[in-house]
Amino acid sequence: MSERTEPSQQQTGRTAAHDSAFLRACRREPVPHTPVWFMRQAGRSLPEYRKVREGIPMLESCMRPDLVTEITLQPVRRHNVDAAIFFSDIVVPLKAIGVDLDIKPGVGPVVAQPIRTRADLDRLRALDPSDVPYVTEAIGLLTAELGTTPLIGFAGAPFTLASYLVEGGPSRNHEHTKALMYGDPELWADLLDRLADITAAFLKIQIEAGASAVQLFDSWVGALAPADYRRSVMPASTKVFDAVAGLGVPRIHFGVGTGELLGLMGEAGADVVGVDWRIPMDEAVRRVGPGKALQGNLDPAVLFAGREAVETKAQEVLDAAADLEGHVFNLGHGVLPTTDPDALTRLVEYVHERTAR
Ligand code: CP3
């Protein structure tokens, strides 16, 4: 008897989304229009988000499949974006393996006991699917609701996770993190390798539950010089991409302030490289090299400038991206919390209309 008599839920979800504009662009295939989604589209810019989150702490909301499903769907309903992004946070897998941390409103993730010694590292154990049953359950609910709209899973990249763990919270200069990286390369390599395993496991769980693509957020990696990135960070990020390479979903790689790192980020192994707003897409593609799709890159602050300016700047992005093998339109970083949601809806409409073929 065949082991697979009926298609599993994840196969159904991915099959339905397979020909979506978003997944086609990631695979560098022809598209009916340039697909659009926004980093941080699910969140505080939406009044319906603030309403369902009332009185519920951020981490608790990530552990409730009903809430995760509702919040993930809100921007899809409202903006007609081409993909949903799973509502969670990069620190959720760390919390799930017992790291004492919280997400403080207006601050970000705060870690009670920062990791700076070998003994601290020993506290970081491997992630097992049974640590995050709410993730598997929420993705099952979501793929059933989303139909042909793909769901993007995500995780924090080893460097960005290490920065929160070593600093103990958000940091401007990453001085403790860099002190460990430069001062104790062996402990640093072991920390990043451990985080790579946790991140890879978290992405696999999401893909096996039905996510159609994954994004690795290396938000703060732009703080590094290229040689340090290559030596001390890239091996861990590559390990993550390699671990999910055979699972048949596009892998997106994003960081902020990464103009000088784009070539190496391309080499690290993703299928799609995210670009922030500081580099035009035609220059970004020269730096990344052939064989990759690009994602980006409207400055999120442009959305505060009024309709005409938004359209002018969005058109500049589209023009600069005209010759790419694959383009996923996005902002150059996450939606800012005070953004007018209608400006986002109009931007989706604009990109769809201007690129319809
Ligand atoms: O993109 C989405 O819509 C999906 C949800 C998502 C969240 N965080 C929800 C969230 C994603 C993809 C993330 C990733 C994340 N979290 C990153 C990488 C992306 C980036 O912005 O560079 C980082 C660095 C974090 C860590 C983190 N979590 C920060 C810096 C903050 C903001 C703190 C604040 O209040 O200003 C969070 C909290 C967080 N994560 C919120 C949301 C919607 C806000 C919490 C709230 O609404 O109370």
Side-chain angles (χ1 to χ4, degrees):
M1 198 172 74
S2 153
E3 270 181 48
R4 287 192 186 167
T5 44
E6 284 189 24
S8 60
Q9 183 149 27
Q10 67 266 27
Q11 287 172 311
T12 313
R14 273 209 287 279
T15 306
H18 184 267
D19 282 323
S20 60
F22 168 75
L23 289 174
R24 293 184 66 88
C26 290
R27 295 192 300 259
R28 296 176 285 123
E29 294 167 5
V31 286
H33 59 261
T34 298
V36 192
W37 71 280
F38 303 117
M39 294 184 274
R40 295 284 178 97
Q41 65 189 17
R44 286 174 297 179
S45 62
L46 301 184
E48 59 270 35
Y49 168 79
R50 293 194 292 268
K51 185 147 181 279
V52 296
R53 275 286 317 282
E54 243 167 59
I56 306 171
M58 176 65 190
L59 280 171
E60 190 189 322
S61 67
C62 296
M63 294 176 195
R64 287 184 38 184
D66 56 334
L67 265 182
V68 170
T69 303
E70 168 58 21
I71 296 171
T72 302
L73 292 173
Q74 283 175 348
V76 179
R77 289 188 201 116
R78 186 191 260 266
H79 301 310
N80 192 28
V81 279
D82 292 273
I85 177 149
F86 186 61
F87 180 78
S88 186
D89 194 86
I90 57 168
V91 296
V92 163
L94 302 177
K95 179 80 181 173
I97 58 167
V99 176
D100 184 358
L101 62 83
D102 198 7
I103 298 180
K104 297 234 153 70
V107 179
V110 177
V111 179
Q113 291 174 285
I115 291 191
R116 294 181 190 167
T117 65
R118 178 68 56 182
D120 294 333
L121 173 59
D122 290 341
R123 293 190 275 121
L124 272 192
R125 68 162 174 85
L127 177 76
D128 185 83
S130 64
D131 296 315
V132 286
Y134 42 86
V135 169
T136 305
E137 188 185 336
I139 291 180
L141 293 170
L142 274 165
T143 48
E145 289 275 331
L146 278 165
T148 56
T149 304
L151 177 68
I152 303 169
F154 73 92
F159 176 81
T160 292
L161 292 178
S163 171
Y164 285 109
L165 287 172
V166 176
E167 302 294 334
S171 166
R172 182 186 289 261
N173 298 314
H174 309 278
E175 55 266 52
H176 296 289
T177 315
K178 289 186 176 182
L180 186 63
M181 184 178 89
Y182 294 125
D184 191 343
E186 207 174 311
L187 178 58
W188 171 260
D190 289 349
L191 170 62
L192 260 72
D193 191 65
R194 187 81 55 91
L195 290 170
D197 290 340
I198 293 167
T199 292
F202 194 50
L203 292 179
K204 266 190 202 161
I205 290 165
Q206 295 173 66
I207 296 166
E208 273 159 17
S212 285
V214 288
Q215 176 156 322
L216 191 67
F217 279 98
D218 210 349
S219 304
W220 312 142
V221 79
L224 295 177
D228 292 320
Y229 176 78
R230 181 191 280 284
R231 183 185 314 117
S232 307
V233 172
M234 198 170 139
S237 295
T238 295
K239 188 179 193 193
V240 176
F241 289 124
D242 286 351
V244 295
L247 300 179
V249 306
R251 301 156 299 163
I252 312 170
H253 194 8
F254 170 77
V256 181
T258 52
E260 301 305 323
L261 300 180
L262 284 173
L264 292 171
M265 287 176 73
E267 267 180 58
D271 306 293
V272 184
V273 176
V275 182
D276 87 354
W277 65 91
R278 292 171 180 87
I279 298 240
M281 295 302 260
D282 47 357
E283 174 58 21
V285 74
R286 277 191 284 277
R287 295 186 185 195
V288 170
K292 309 269 173 193
L294 295 192
Q295 175 174 281
N297 72 342
L298 186 72
D299 183 346
V302 165
L303 288 155
F304 292 79
R307 184 176 195 145
E308 215 174 298
V310 173
E311 294 186 354
T312 304
K313 297 298 285 181
Q315 191 60 50
E316 278 177 28
V317 171
L318 292 174
D319 290 345
D323 294 332
L324 300 189
E325 292 180 54
H327 179 214
V328 176
F329 190 99
N330 205 315
L331 304 178
H333 196 187
V335 173
L336 297 165
T338 53
T339 304
D340 172 8
D342 292 339
L344 290 168
T345 309
R346 285 196 301 266
L347 175 57
V348 176
E349 237 174 64
Y350 180 81
V351 173
H352 283 171
E353 276 173 22
R354 297 291 302 188
T355 59
R357 358 216 188 245

